[in-house]
Amino acid sequence: MSFDLNKLIRPNIAKLEAYSSARDEFSGDAKVFLDANENSLGSPSLKWYNRYPDPHQKIVKDKIAVIKRIPAENIFLGNGSDECIDIVFRCFCEPGKDNVIICPPTYGMYEVSANINNVGIKKVPLLNDFQLDLVHLENAIDTNTKIIWICSPNNPTGNSINRVDIEMVLNNFNGLVVIDEAYINFAKQKTFVQELSDYPNLIVLQTFSKAWGLAGLRLGTAFASTPIIKVMDRVKPPYNINQATQEIATKALEEIGQVNDMIKIIVDMREALAEVFLTMPTVEKVYPSEANFILVKIKDARKIYEFLLTKGIVLRDRSNVALCENCLRITIGTEQENTLLIDAMQEWYHLNP
Ligand SMILES: *Cc1c(COP(=O)(O)O)cnc(C)c1O
């Protein structure tokens, strides 16, 4: 395989002179900061946020580096993984010329982000078992194909993509392979983060929004080779991770024990909930899940979805999505929320015998 990152970077990005912030030009020890036009008097709140945050997020990255056992220079932080997705497009895909491959049914943002950036989309649907269709994938690649997006465990299907298939793509595609591991903490499958040195074309996305319980903070991570991270760093807005997020994430990263406890509880409830769904009369299939949600194929999915809404319970209706016909995606809730859901579904069966 001949992988050449320089051939993948958009010419304007390769030439780009990145914005140099006040905090870039001086980052040593000083007592008086009069370089960034902040309000030196303070903030109208108990906590002071009058200073710009660290554009390189050094403290957070050093903590993530220890937990993930990789150097901090292989880490990029985004305002949610959604920002990482957008930045990957903007670094590597020339609008109106390049294309990417996505494998639906999958996470919707790859397509939205491609459309926003006017980047072509080639869809290679997953097979019936929700695994990669390697034959059609290979056929879809052309000289302008820059990225293959793989979501594993996949949203909304919940399964992990076979590791050997992903390795096959990584070994044979000269563009970038992005593996979105938003749900990896709930999976038996190993992360690809440890394989960065083997694959110069690999970008792994993870997020604080799911297992870490911090969706409201907006913090996503991209792991990749140092040259890829350097390109992404030049394209990102300088202060994309705000001060509050950096502080709270730094604290949260010290509580990995709590996170692991929550993951265990959620996985146990996922398995228990799957058992209960299987006993329900019109449930046709409960797809095996390695995530914090389950996909359930059920007769009258849309009607049940609407009935549950009247009970104040919202599921994700995927019944119109190809390969997910008549499917509802159900996030694992608290014990009490799961019970409310099951009770409401029993009520539906009672009303619709
Ligand atoms: C939820 C989710 C994300 C998370 O995005 P954030 O912007 O980090 O909240 C990313 N990818 C997939 C597949 C998801 O389901």
Side-chain angles (χ1 to χ4, degrees), residues 273-288:
L273 206 54
E275 293 284 321
V276 176
F277 285 128
L278 277 173
T279 66
M280 293 183 177
T282 60
V283 168
E284 284 165 34
K285 190 152 188 172
V286 178
Y287 291 92

Side-chain angles (χ1 to χ4, degrees), residues 68-279:
K68 297 291 168 187
R69 290 178 289 124
I70 54 159
E73 68 204 32
N74 295 116
I75 303 174
F76 172 88
L77 297 183
N79 191 327
S81 328
D82 288 347
E83 187 183 46
C84 300
I85 294 169
D86 180 64
I87 286 184
V88 170
F89 274 108
R90 288 198 282 150
C91 290
F92 302 106
C93 298
E94 194 60 31
K97 175 173 170 240
D98 290 333
N99 65 72
V100 302
I101 297 177
I102 65 171
C103 304
T106 193
Y107 185 48
M109 277 309 285
Y110 317 136
E111 182 166 2
V112 172
S113 232
N115 285 333
I116 290 170
N117 288 291
N118 192 24
V119 169
I121 301 161
K122 295 189 177 205
K123 293 186 184 176
V124 179
L126 296 173
L127 299 167
N128 281 327
D129 60 357
F130 298 142
Q131 291 298 328
L132 295 178
D133 182 342
L134 291 175
V135 173
H136 285 110
L137 201 55
E138 186 179 5
N139 291 339
I141 297 168
D142 67 32
T143 51
N144 291 320
T145 305
K146 291 292 191 73
I147 306 172
I148 297 176
W149 294 87
I150 297 173
C151 187
S152 180
N154 187 40
N155 176 2
T157 57
N159 63 297
S160 290
I161 303 298
N162 292 332
R163 200 173 179 86
V164 284
D165 291 355
I166 299 179
E167 286 165 352
M168 175 79 91
V169 177
L170 281 164
N171 282 317
N172 292 289
F173 179 53
N174 285 332
L176 294 165
V177 180
V178 181
I179 307 177
D180 186 343
E181 295 186 338
Y183 300 98
I184 192 71
N185 309 71
F186 304 103
K188 293 199 201 90
Q189 183 92 314
K190 237 175 38 181
T191 172
F192 270 88
V193 166
Q194 304 307 326
E195 324 301 320
L196 290 178
S197 42
D198 286 344
Y199 300 111
N201 55 344
L202 170 62
I203 300 178
V204 179
L205 302 183
Q206 292 185 3
T207 177
F208 283 75
S209 297
K210 309 286 156 68
W212 282 86
L214 295 169
L217 278 193
R218 310 309 299 130
L219 186 62
T221 45
F223 304 99
S225 72
T226 317
I228 292 176
I229 298 297
K230 281 193 173 144
V231 181
M232 294 175 71
D233 271 338
R234 291 197 303 134
V235 170
K236 80 177 181 70
Y239 302 116
N240 63 329
I241 310 298
N242 70 66
Q243 181 67 26
T245 295
Q246 293 195 37
E247 286 172 8
I248 296 167
T250 302
K251 274 201 174 153
L253 285 160
E254 279 162 18
E255 303 295 345
I256 195 164
Q258 270 188 52
V259 176
N260 285 333
D261 290 346
M262 288 196 287
I263 292 167
K264 279 202 199 81
I265 295 170
I266 290 168
V267 167
D268 285 346
M269 288 197 294
R270 178 187 77 202
E271 297 309 308
L273 206 54
E275 293 284 321
V276 176
F277 285 128
L278 277 173
T279 66

